């Protein structure tokens, strides 16, 4: 009976909050059937391609104080770094030469003029040294519309800004309640990014203190409602030097957070078949095969870390972060083997844009 329920849900055109909550909470053999059938359905319709995004975490200086994050401003134990421009450009060249198709620039959040102008200059330089062939995604937090526009014009075409949780009460449980961490502002930033023309990505953490299956179902419905093009979701992993660490005994087990994240990925794939979904690195902090599993059940983007190795260990948003000792070459070899093991193919040299972005443009015309 229940197996039929899963089979019925997989074939439905859309899913309600209670149906999504049901899928997100699945355990045991029913869950195995759900994940496998969703993965097969997806690969059958959209194909086997997986896209690489070379990830450069170029600085961990941050002006914000999110309660979950290891690089929050108040963490005085974090060793701060800022990679120089030439090393960032070299990493971009590496991505281009290795046919990754795209680059992701990520850092702690800053909005001072020296920072925003530096990014503009870097974007232009990266475009120039890679013959305009490298797609650029940026993940640099909340900024003014003018700054978002300046960076778009300089060459960035995709932006990642996770909502972290779409439940406003939960949002304020994991962020200070002040103007720098305002829920409304974050949503408005997502809308501004879309208006400017970015392919827009967001996402949430799974297994936050007090988070329920209904919250998670509503996160997925939020992505749909907002017409989001790309999603990254990873398990929440407590970090000793952060305020949320005090909830460590109330959290789901790491394994449960991992399992529910995969259920979220598969459920989202059913709800939004044409978006890009990333296999988040945090999955691999729990299970050595975490990202491959995500690729089997609906993810189609993976982000090899190409940050110069000496700084990787300092970008510790959460503990037990994988690949902190590997160099970019090792990481890309390792990942290509991992993608093949997951029965997928790498879209070398392709930007791997979100199909949803083009589908929604057509609808708007
Ligand atoms: N556990 C899991 N993910 C985290 N992030 C930040 N801190 C943690 C943590 N402790 C995620 C956030 C952020 C992304 C860059 O990393 O979702 O948006
Ligand atoms: Fe980085 Fe394996 S993915 S070393």
């Amino acid at each position: 009976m229940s197996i039929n329920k899963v089979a019925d849900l997989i074939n439905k055109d859309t899913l309600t909050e209670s149906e999504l909550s049901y899928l997100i909470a699945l355990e045991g053999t029913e869950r195995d059937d759900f994940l496998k059938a969703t993965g097969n359905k997806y690969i059958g319709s959209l194909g086997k391609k997986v896209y690489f995004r070379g990830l450069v975490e170029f600085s961990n200086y941050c002006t914000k104080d999110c309660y979950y994050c290891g690089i929050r401003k108040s963490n005085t134990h974090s060793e701060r770094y800022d990679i120089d421009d030439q090393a960032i450009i070299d990493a971009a060249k590496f991505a281009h030469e290795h046919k990754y198709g795209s680059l992701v620039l990520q850092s702690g959040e800053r909005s001072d003029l020296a920072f925003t102008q530096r990014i503009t200059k870097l974007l232009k330089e990266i475009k120039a040294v890679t013959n305009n062939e490298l797609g650029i995604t940026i993940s640099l937090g909340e900024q003014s519309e003018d700054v978002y526009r300046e960076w778009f014009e300089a060459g960035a075409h995709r932006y990642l800004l996770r909502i972290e949780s779409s439940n406003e009460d939960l949002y304020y449980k994991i962020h200070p309640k002040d103007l720098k961490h305002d829920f409304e502002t974050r949503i408005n930033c997502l809308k501004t990014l879309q208006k400017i023309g970015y392919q827009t990505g967001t996402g949430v953490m799974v297994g936050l203190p007090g988070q329920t299956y209904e919250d998670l179902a509503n996160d997925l419905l939020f992505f749909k409602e907002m017409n989001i093009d790309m999603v990254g979701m990873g398990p929440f992993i407590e970090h000793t030097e952060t305020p949320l660490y005090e909830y460590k005994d109330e959290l789901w087990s790491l394994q449960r957070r991992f399992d529910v994240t995969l259920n979220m990925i598969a459920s989202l794939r059913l709800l939004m078949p044409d978006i890009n979904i990333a296999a988040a690195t945090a999955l691999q902090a729990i299970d050595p095969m975490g990202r491959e599993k995500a690729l089997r059940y609906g993810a189609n983007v993976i982000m090899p870390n190409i940050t110069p190795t000496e700084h990787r260990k300092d970008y510790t948003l959460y503990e037990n972060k994988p690949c902190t000792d590997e160099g970019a070459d090792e990481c890309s070899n390792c990942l290509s083997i991992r993608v093949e093991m997951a029965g997928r193919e790498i879209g070398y040299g392709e930007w791997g844009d979100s199909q949803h972005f083009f589908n929604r443009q057509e609808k708007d015309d």
Side-chain angles (χ1 to χ4, degrees), residues 291 323 326 331 334-335 338:
R291 288 189 285 184
C323 308
E326 279 77 11
C331 232
C334 163
L335 268 187
R338 285 164 177 272

Side-chain angles (χ1 to χ4, degrees), residues 68-70 106 162 164 205 235-239 282 317-318:
Y68 44 86
C69 187
Q106 189 176 71
R162 287 192 180 175
E164 314 298 357
M205 285 177 286
F236 166 63
I237 300 174
E238 67 274 24
H239 186 296
L317 308 180
Y318 46 86

Side-chain angles (χ1 to χ4, degrees), residues 57 66-71 106-107 139 160-164 186 203-206 208 232-239 242 244 257 282 315-319:
E57 297 158 332
C66 307
Y67 292 154
Y68 44 86
C69 187
I71 64 166
Q106 189 176 71
S107 72
S139 178
L160 304 175
L161 182 70
R162 287 192 180 175
I163 189 71
E164 314 298 357
R186 204 156 183 94
V204 294
M205 285 177 286
V206 177
L208 289 163
M233 299 181 285
F236 166 63
I237 300 174
E238 67 274 24
H239 186 296
T242 62
L244 286 195
R257 280 176 254 167
Y315 202 80
T316 29
L317 308 180
Y318 46 86
E319 277 152 1

Side-chain angles (χ1 to χ4, degrees), residues 81-239:
Y81 71 87
D82 194 358
I83 293 175
D84 64 56
D85 289 2
Q86 192 52 49
I88 300 174
I89 290 165
D90 288 346
K93 283 190 193 152
F94 174 92
H96 183 232
E97 281 157 16
H98 287 75
K99 303 215 175 330
Y100 279 13
S102 296
L103 181 75
V104 180
L105 292 180
Q106 189 176 71
S107 72
E109 194 168 312
R110 281 176 57 182
S111 48
D112 52 284
L113 199 61
F115 179 79
T116 62
Q117 290 183 340
R118 173 188 179 203
I119 299 299
T120 305
K121 189 166 153 266
L122 265 171
L123 290 169
K124 288 183 182 159
E125 262 178 71
I126 292 171
K127 278 287 173 193
V129 298
T130 62
N131 267 338
N132 276 326
E133 284 165 4
L134 194 66
I136 308 182
T137 306
I138 47 180
S139 178
L140 305 169
E142 294 170 21
Q143 305 288 344
S144 68
E145 178 166 348
D146 286 349
V147 167
Y148 281 152
R149 209 175 280 285
E150 183 176 310
W151 290 345
F152 186 74
E153 283 161 9
H157 77 297
R158 294 187 284 237
Y159 205 103
L160 304 175
L161 182 70
R162 287 192 180 175
I163 189 71
E164 314 298 357
S165 169
S166 67
N167 173 333
E168 188 166 350
D169 292 337
L170 184 53
Y171 188 88
Y172 285 120
K173 204 170 155 190
I174 63 171
H175 297 97
K177 197 160 191 169
D178 61 24
L179 278 179
K180 249 192 136 14
H181 302 81
D182 186 63
F183 183 71
E184 208 58 39
T185 304
R186 204 156 183 94
I187 293 192
N188 286 335
C189 281
L190 288 171
K191 290 184 182 158
T192 304
L193 290 164
Q194 288 176 316
K195 184 177 81 181
I196 292 170
Y198 282 98
Q199 291 178 43
T200 304
T202 190
V204 294
M205 285 177 286
V206 177
L208 289 163
Q211 195 177 38
T212 64
Y213 296 123
E214 286 72 31
D215 289 332
L216 293 169
N218 281 312
D219 288 336
L220 302 187
L221 291 169
F222 168 86
F223 303 151
K224 180 146 182 163
E225 171 77 29
M226 290 283 293
N227 224 339
I228 283 300
D229 303 306
M230 327 180 279
V231 171
M233 299 181 285
F236 166 63
I237 300 174
E238 67 274 24
H239 186 296

